[in-house]
Amino acid sequence: MTTLELAGVFVGRPAVLGQRRERPVLSAIVKDRVAAAELELTRLNLDGDEQADLSVHGGVDKAVYVYPAQHYPAWTADGFDVALGAFGENLAVRGADEAEVRIGDVWEWGDARLQVSQPRQPCFKLAMRTGRKDVVPALIDSGRCGWYLRVLRPGNVPTTGAVRVIETDAQAPTVAEVHLIAFANFAQLEPRLAEAGVRRAEKILATPALSPSYSGGIRSSVDRWRLRNAG
């Protein structure tokens, strides 16, 4: 049984992050470390946490965002001035990364149970948060994306200590695999490799725990490639 260490728990409410096209941008990506020993986790949020744009953030499949603490030294080495919490994560953890965590893994955190639902898709607000436009392509290329959890059982959760992975399926795709497929351009690959990638994408799409909103983009890529190569 895998045990992850909590490196920090963070929450935040929407506030003006900056200006875009002469309009204020609201975001809750700026989060503060929780000082309390524990807090309540509902189906949608940790207590004190909200999302500004519910059309693309939050919801049952993206209730909690997790980021591996071990990625931060790599970002620093790449010249980014970031520290724990800078990527808008709710949980910074040590002990596993995208190559080890699988879609559908079930976690036990205090009284709550959660399930890995999808990788993170970065948006322009991350660039505004870090002050670096190149952070979005860097995150995509590096695969240091983190992942979301849905809440299977709400409850009170501690802000220090451990989180246990109590269920995993060795046949399920890892977060890294799903991220790679989601950003693959099959049309630019040699046909044999493209076909292998599309077959892998179709297996990923058959993963029940993968959130529908994330799988929709992969499905569109597969359908376009199949249509282009029909006959």
Side-chain angles (χ1 to χ4, degrees), residues 72-165:
Y72 279 99
W75 285 110
T76 300
D78 289 342
F80 292 86
D81 184 15
V82 291
L84 288 179
F87 281 77
E89 67 266 31
N90 297 115
L91 305 186
V93 299
R94 295 188 178 94
D97 62 17
E98 293 84 356
E100 300 163 285
V101 173
R102 297 181 181 276
I103 302 298
D105 282 358
V106 176
W107 293 15
E108 186 176 69
W109 178 25
D111 297 332
R113 288 195 177 184
L114 307 95
Q115 184 180 51
V116 178
S117 57
Q118 67 167 76
R120 185 231 190 113
Q121 289 178 302
C123 72
F124 72 95
K125 292 179 180 180
L126 179 60
M128 295 182 72
R129 170 72 172 93
T130 59
R132 294 278 297 268
K133 292 181 179 180
D134 56 341
V135 71
V136 171
L139 185 150
I140 293 170
D141 292 345
S142 68
R144 299 192 294 254
C145 57
W147 55 89
Y148 284 99
L149 304 172
R150 62 172 61 91
V151 179
L152 302 179
R153 185 178 72 196
N156 291 326
V157 294
T159 58
T160 59
V163 176
R164 297 190 304 147
V165 181

